[in-house]
């Protein structure tokens, strides 16, 4: 009987913690303003975009296709965009044409992410110009979470150089928190 009460209490604490996580993340996204979310097809970026869309944030998704991106990732991104009805732009970031990337250096993630974020920024600017809009430029965001900061990730340097934001980091969310958010959004299949 004590175990049942302990589980129930832990569940209530978990629900309260999740609600606080969601509120913090929403506050972070609100503070960023119009956002472009770089979606790799992994659970983190899929969860971030779905949360932003379902929360009513001004968010647009971008996904880059290349030889380095498995077709299953592209299919997952496209299926989620269709399921939730959010705007998705599929682009070629061009890293496969860069000799620095093709040399396969230890920091190839820096080269790849540099191409990705530059392509997103360029596409976003061209779209704004073509639509003759004077809206606030969109900030690029990634699905990086707090746990990712402990790994060697040269792509984070490319993000820093380009002012890319990491809403999960700003909201202090770990990989476990992101997984819980994914479940709360009904993303059990990603």
């Amino acid at each position: 009987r004590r175990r049942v009460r302990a589980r129930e209490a832990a569940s209530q604490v978990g629900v309260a913690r999740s609600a606080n996580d969601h509120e913090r993340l929403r506050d972070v996204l609100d503070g960023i303003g119009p956002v472009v979310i770089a979606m790799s097809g992994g659970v983190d970026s899929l969860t971030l975009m779905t949360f932003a869309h379902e929360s009513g944030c001004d968010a647009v998704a971008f996904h880059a296709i290349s030889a380095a991106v498995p077709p299953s990732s592209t299919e997952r991104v496209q299926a989620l965009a269709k399921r939730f009805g959010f705007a998705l732009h599929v682009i070629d970031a061009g890293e496969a044409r860069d000799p620095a990337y093709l040399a396969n250096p230890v920091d190839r993630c820096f080269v790849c992410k540099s191409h990705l974020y530059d392509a997103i920024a360029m596409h976003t600017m061209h779209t704004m110009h073509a639509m003759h809009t004077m809206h606030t430029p969109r900030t690029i965001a990634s699905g990086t979470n707090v746990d990712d900061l402990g790994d060697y990730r040269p792509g984070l340097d490319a993000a820093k150089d380009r002012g890319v934001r990491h809403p999960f980091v700003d909201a202090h969310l770990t990989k476990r928190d992101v997984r819980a958010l994914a479940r709360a959004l009904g993303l059990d299949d990603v």
Side-chain angles (χ1 to χ4, degrees):
R1 186 160 174 106
R2 285 185 198 159
R3 285 187 187 149
V4 171
R5 277 189 259 149
R7 272 197 304 262
E8 288 173 357
S11 176
Q12 290 171 356
V13 168
V15 169
R17 185 178 189 313
S18 293
N20 288 337
D21 290 347
H22 299 179
E23 189 174 320
R24 259 194 334 274
L25 181 57
R26 177 55 200 238
D27 289 346
V28 167
L29 288 168
D30 284 346
I32 291 173
V35 66
V36 172
I37 297 176
M39 295 181 65
S40 64
V43 68
D44 298 334
S45 60
L46 292 172
T47 301
L48 180 60
M49 183 60 208
T50 303
F51 179 85
H53 176 73
E54 292 297 291
S55 297
C57 296
D58 184 0
V60 176
F62 272 77
H63 174 73
I65 54 171
S66 77
V69 177
S72 60
S73 293
T74 301
E75 292 165 6
R76 201 169 26 252
V77 169
Q78 290 171 328
L80 201 68
K82 183 176 180 181
R83 176 177 159 195
F84 286 95
F86 57 75
L88 171 65
H89 300 270
V90 178
I91 60 171
D92 177 356
E95 78 277 1
R97 294 182 295 279
D98 185 340
Y101 177 78
L102 296 174
N104 202 24
V106 140
D107 68 345
R108 69 188 163 276
C109 187
F110 177 87
V111 177
C112 182
K113 293 292 187 181
S114 295
H115 278 276
L116 172 66
Y117 298 136
D118 290 347
I120 291 172
M122 187 179 313
H123 185 84
T124 303
M125 284 191 314
H126 286 295
T127 301
M128 287 176 64
H129 180 67
M131 295 175 66
H132 305 289
T133 60
M134 295 298 175
H135 297 285
T136 304
R138 292 183 178 271
T139 299
I140 300 171
S142 83
T144 300
N145 65 66
V146 171
D147 292 335
D148 295 331
L149 301 179
D151 298 336
Y152 173 64
R153 293 184 180 242
L156 291 176
D157 292 331
K160 182 179 178 184
D161 291 350
R162 288 155 179 81
V164 173
R165 296 286 301 270
H166 310 294
F168 289 143
V169 173
D170 294 342
H172 311 290
L173 299 183
T174 64
K175 190 70 126 179
R176 184 176 180 182
D177 298 328
V178 173
R179 296 293 184 273
L181 178 57
R183 283 190 302 277
L185 291 166
L187 301 178
D188 299 328
D189 54 340
V190 296

